[in-house]
């Protein structure tokens, strides 16, 4: 938490020897895909602060110990996982989708018909 996304990506590359998304993003996405795929408005719902703080402590400890943490085993609620994910993204020192990408967002509707065109944009 609070470190640049590049730092997390480099650390994941060192740990696994390949390019992988940061641990928290991958684990949260997996959990939410299976546990909350039918929940609407999930990112607008509040979670208990104590639950989020406890989950954050567990995630940080697992990360420091270099082990994976399965949110399903923790019996975390979808709201808690989403709140932690939002907290992680908000604490990034530089936004994930920064202003430098703005021209690419504007160009996307113009040339994004085929997969090759989308990749080119």
């Amino acid at each position: 938490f609070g470190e640049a996304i590049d730092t997390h990506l480099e650390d994941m590359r060192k740990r696994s020897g390949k390019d992988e998304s940061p641990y928290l993003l991958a684990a949260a996405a997996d959990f939410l895909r299976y546990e909350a795929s039918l929940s609407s408005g999930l990112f607008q719902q509040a979670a208990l602060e104590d639950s989020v703080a406890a989950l954050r402590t567990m995630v940080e400890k697992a990360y420091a110990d270099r082990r994976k943490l399965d949110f399903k085993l923790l019996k975390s609620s979808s709201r808690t996982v989403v709140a932690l994910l939002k907290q992680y993204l908000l604490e990034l020192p530089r936004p994930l989708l920064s202003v430098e990408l703005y021209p690419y967002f504007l160009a996307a509707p113009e040339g994004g018909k085929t997969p090759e065109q989308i990749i080119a944009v």
Side-chain angles (χ1 to χ4, degrees):
F1 287 81
E3 293 183 29
I5 195 83
D6 296 341
T7 304
H8 291 265
L9 293 172
E10 182 62 32
D11 188 53
M12 292 304 293
R13 190 176 300 117
K14 286 178 184 175
R15 289 178 184 220
S16 68
K18 57 186 176 183
D19 290 331
E20 291 184 357
S21 60
Y23 167 72
L24 177 62
L25 297 180
D30 286 343
F31 177 83
L32 295 171
R33 184 178 307 118
Y34 297 108
E35 299 294 323
S37 61
L38 300 176
S39 300
S40 62
L42 192 57
F43 281 80
Q44 298 170 350
Q45 298 173 4
L48 296 173
E49 288 183 33
D50 292 345
S51 299
V52 177
L55 182 58
R56 179 176 176 158
T57 300
M58 287 184 242
V59 167
E60 288 177 331
K61 179 156 179 30
Y63 188 79
D65 294 344
R66 298 197 175 281
R67 62 181 169 82
K68 290 203 173 197
L69 184 64
D70 187 351
F71 289 142
K72 288 182 249 176
L73 298 177
L74 300 176
K75 303 199 184 325
S76 297
S77 75
S78 299
R79 289 179 182 181
T80 304
V81 173
V82 166
L84 186 67
L85 179 59
K86 289 186 336 186
Q87 193 175 76
Y88 172 80
L89 294 172
L90 285 170
E91 289 184 20
L92 288 173
R94 188 165 170 243
L96 194 57
L97 303 174
S98 63
V99 71
E100 290 88 12
L101 298 174
Y102 187 67
Y104 298 103
F105 294 134
L106 292 178
E110 297 171 2
K113 307 284 187 270
T114 68
E116 293 80 19
Q117 290 172 327
I118 292 170
I119 291 170
V121 171

